Amino acid sequence: MIQEFATDIAAQMGIQLSCVSMVEGRQVGCLDVYLLSLAADDHLVSTLIYQSELDHLQNGSDTGQLETKIRSALERLRIQMEP
């Protein structure tokens, strides 16, 4: 679900993502957190996503904070992609 959400936001911003992946925080020593990685044109950015934000997305409730985080990461990606 988060992959589609991130891809949709990227498309709205004119960015074609080549990869969207998420790593559970337990694997890196953090509970209740995920590392969302977004890639395009051999560039990669990441942002932390909390379980509560994923819950809001799944429940269809307020996703404003999650969207802001993803847009911020995508803006960093866009800057990396500039010549």
Side-chain angles (χ1 to χ4, degrees), residues 10-58:
Q12 292 172 23
M13 296 176 68
I15 299 172
Q16 179 69 38
L17 294 176
S18 57
C19 181
V20 177
S21 64
M22 195 163 66
V23 175
E24 188 174 346
R26 284 186 195 168
Q27 296 177 3
V28 293
C30 299
L31 300 177
D32 199 33
V33 174
Y34 298 85
L35 183 65
L36 178 67
S37 298
L38 308 167
D41 295 338
D42 296 325
H43 298 282
L44 177 70
V45 295
S46 298
T47 189
L48 290 177
I49 305 295
Y50 292 97
Q51 181 64 52
S52 60
E53 294 167 331
L54 290 176
D55 293 342
H56 288 300
L57 179 62
Q58 290 177 342

